[in-house]
Amino acid sequence: KYIKMTQLLSIFKPQLKSLDSFENLEKKNKVFATINPGLEEFLQNEIKTLLGSNIELTTVIGGCEFEATYQQIWKLCLFSRVIETLRIRMAVPIFIETFYSFEKKIANLPWDLFIPSALKGSDKPPFTISVTSHESKLYHTGAIKERIEKFLLNNIWKHNKVATEPVKIYVRAEADFFQFSIDASGELLHKRGYKQHVSNCGLRETLAATCLRAAEFKPGMSVWDPFAGTGTFPIEALLHTMGSNFVADRNFAFEMWPSNNEFLYQQYKQAAINSSRSLHLTNEQIFYLGSDIDNKMIEYANENFLTLNYPTEQVEFMQGDFSTIAKTISVNDCKNLLVISNLPYDKRENVENLPKLLTKFNYLFSQRKEFKNVFALTSTPILLHKTAFNKLKWIKILEFRNGGLPVQLMRLLRI
């Protein structure tokens, strides 16, 4: 499925203009991938799936550090479903106690690999700098930023790489140890390129993909989201089934690096796009259904799906109350069906009577026992418990924050 670097090199090596960028592609670099705190297990599993089970990972709250080549960075940006951001480490953490030492140390970092010489159509610096300092003698973040900026502006590189977006530099000082990192992903990776519309309390695509994995969704299963909003769960389930990630219309920060071979990357990317678009659903019994009582949300969901340009009739968004929509789902449809939804949030949405709504939601599943695989993401787990009927019980599967609000992914059990 993924074109190998050796194949690219054998075909395109005569056309490469610089062997320097070719050598950089093969070099291993320390990389840090982030995810919402509490979801690190899913990040570990995905990295091992994409890069190999033997990869060594150092896991901390909110992320994993590991070694990766440029090609592997490309693969993670193009095919990851759960990573939020990706950064490359410029060096191991450096011990620095004085500004004199700081200026000496930063002069030895490989800035020329990552910082372009200019920003297209602008006289602003082709970089931005973000600094944090904790329990460090150099606590003045403004002075740290000023020295890096001065050094870079006085050392304009001769590679003539003009960028369309500034490269983001991250500096983190922790107890006098400085970590210098460069943004590799650019915009948050949940921005896959298909979502033209979002709802007020919507779920990021990366979080939806993580919830689907926690719910043990697998290709071959159908999906129904009773509170679909702009369609994130059904669309993410479709993309997961097809082994695809729609990123054709977005760029990544590594494309601005002078050390990135743009020619090879574009060949790699096009091969990945062609591979994903050649896939098709073979099981006509599978469906991806999203429903919502708000007709505007259904319009948005349909427009988001149409952006994918996937020729399938197995994705449908229907306007209506969930109890009415449930009547269109047969007992036979339920045999391999995952019901998963991001329930309304009482603190952010104009829900007139959330207890009444959740009571009705629970009542549906108390009556329709054929719905056996039911998950709900909620900011009010206690209320979901209280409105459950006899012989129904909700248990917590995941806990994380969605837009700053604590939420739990709950699974319905019949007891």
Side-chain angles (χ1 to χ4, degrees):
K1 176 180 175 179
Y2 308 114
I3 189 167
K4 295 181 179 179
M5 182 60 66
T6 52
Q7 294 174 297
L8 283 173
L9 294 176
S10 63
I11 299 171
F12 299 112
K13 190 173 180 180
Q15 302 178 48
L16 296 179
K17 296 180 180 180
S18 170
L19 286 179
D20 289 339
S21 58
F22 163 66
E23 291 171 359
N24 288 326
L25 295 175
E26 296 293 299
K27 181 182 176 182
K28 292 271 189 177
N29 306 271
K30 281 285 186 182
V31 174
F32 187 72
T34 67
I35 195 169
N36 262 34
L39 307 179
E40 293 82 5
E41 177 187 350
F42 299 92
L43 176 62
Q44 292 173 331
N45 292 339
E46 183 179 75
I47 292 172
K48 289 183 176 181
T49 298
L50 290 174
L51 304 187
S53 58
N54 60 341
I55 190 168
E56 294 184 7
L57 301 173
T58 301
T59 303
V60 297
I61 296 174
C64 288
E65 188 174 76
F66 52 96
E67 289 190 341
T69 64
Y70 274 31
Q71 184 206 9
Q72 290 173 323
I73 291 173
W74 299 348
K75 181 185 286 190
L76 290 172
C77 286
L78 286 168
F79 290 99
S80 169
R81 309 211 65 77
V82 304
I83 294 175
E84 295 287 356
T85 65
L86 205 61
R87 297 177 186 178
I88 192 168
R89 305 300 199 193
M90 296 185 70
V92 297
I94 304 170
F95 183 73
I96 305 175
E97 291 185 293
T98 67
F99 277 115
Y100 175 80
S101 177
F102 183 84
E103 292 173 358
K104 294 289 185 182
K105 297 290 186 180
I106 64 172
N108 294 324
L109 293 174
W111 300 103
D112 57 321
L113 295 179
F114 308 108
I115 308 301
S117 58
L119 197 59
K120 186 176 182 180
S122 174
D123 57 0
K124 294 182 179 179
F127 55 84
T128 62
I129 305 170
S130 176
V131 182
T132 59
S133 180
H134 181 249
E135 295 185 353
S136 173
K137 292 183 179 64
L138 304 186
Y139 58 85
H140 197 302
T141 56
I144 294 171
K145 179 179 177 180
E146 182 181 290
R147 281 163 172 79
I148 297 173
E149 188 174 62
K150 181 180 178 181
F151 172 80
L152 293 177
L153 292 177
N154 290 336
N155 292 273
I156 299 298
W157 317 113
K158 298 180 180 180
H159 45 60
N160 296 322
K161 173 72 174 183
V162 178
T164 55
E165 296 288 339
V167 171
K168 296 177 183 177
I169 302 166
Y170 295 95
V171 182
R172 185 172 185 267
E174 186 74 35
D176 298 327
F177 281 90
F178 281 72
Q179 179 73 75
F180 297 86
S181 304
I182 302 291
D183 178 31
S185 50
E187 283 191 298
L188 294 176
L189 289 176
H190 75 268
K191 296 185 178 181
R192 312 221 196 273
Y194 71 79
K195 213 167 191 180
Q196 306 300 307
H197 303 282
V198 296
S199 59
N200 291 335
C201 298
L203 193 65
R204 292 203 303 265
E205 293 86 332
T206 44
L207 294 177
T210 303
C211 289
L212 285 169
R213 293 187 179 186
E216 300 180 356
F217 172 80
K218 294 178 176 58
M221 296 174 67
S222 295
V223 168
W224 174 38
D225 182 352
F227 300 92
T230 57
T232 306
F233 271 128
I235 293 175
E236 285 297 313
L238 170 69
L239 292 174
H240 180 82
T241 298
M242 299 184 72
S244 170
N245 202 352
F246 190 74
V247 294
D249 296 328
R250 66 156 288 173
N251 296 320
F252 302 102
F254 64 74
E255 295 179 59
M256 307 299 138
W257 301 347
S259 56
N260 184 66
N261 190 295
E262 184 65 14
F263 179 79
L264 277 184
Y265 168 65
Q266 290 301 330
Q267 300 301 319
Y268 182 92
K269 178 180 177 180
Q270 192 57 52
I273 293 171
N274 293 342
S275 175
S276 67
R277 287 184 174 172
S278 66
L279 299 172
H280 60 280
L281 298 174
T282 56
N283 187 348
E284 295 182 357
Q285 302 303 314
I286 299 173
F287 61 89
Y288 305 91
L289 173 63
S291 61
D292 203 287
I293 200 166
D294 188 340
N295 191 56
K296 196 65 177 179
M297 290 295 105
I298 295 302
E299 289 180 13
Y300 287 162
N302 276 311
E303 289 176 16
N304 285 339
F305 171 64
L306 290 174
T307 305
L308 286 171
N309 196 28
Y310 279 161
T312 177
E313 297 179 355
Q314 290 162 266
V315 175
E316 185 176 7
F317 295 100
M318 301 174 62
Q319 189 273 330
D321 179 85
F322 61 83
S323 58
T324 303
I325 301 297
K327 296 176 183 178
T328 68
I329 302 174
S330 69
V331 173
N332 189 56
D333 289 335
C334 292
K335 289 181 180 179
N336 206 22
L337 174 67
L338 169 66
V339 180
I340 187 167
S341 194
N342 183 20
L343 300 183
Y345 295 6
D346 63 333
K347 293 183 180 180
R348 292 188 178 177
E349 296 182 279
N350 186 21
V351 180
E352 293 184 3
N353 195 331
L354 187 59
K356 182 178 179 180
L357 180 67
L358 295 184
T359 299
K360 186 177 179 181
F361 184 68
N362 274 303
Y363 179 76
L364 168 65
F365 299 113
S366 71
Q367 299 300 301
R368 295 285 301 272
K369 294 180 175 60
E370 60 270 25
F371 287 107
K372 297 180 179 180
N373 207 14
V374 181
F375 292 79
L377 187 68
T378 177
S379 64
T380 55
I382 295 177
L383 187 56
L384 190 60
H385 281 296
K386 286 183 177 180
T387 55
F389 285 73
N390 289 336
K391 298 185 179 180
L392 293 183
K393 180 181 179 180
W394 292 93
I395 62 170
K396 180 177 70 176
I397 301 297
L398 286 180
E399 187 171 11
F400 57 93
R401 301 185 80 86
N402 180 29
L405 192 66
V407 294
Q408 293 183 13
L409 180 66
M410 313 291 288
R411 181 172 192 167
L412 182 64
L413 297 182
R414 300 184 184 277
I415 55 178

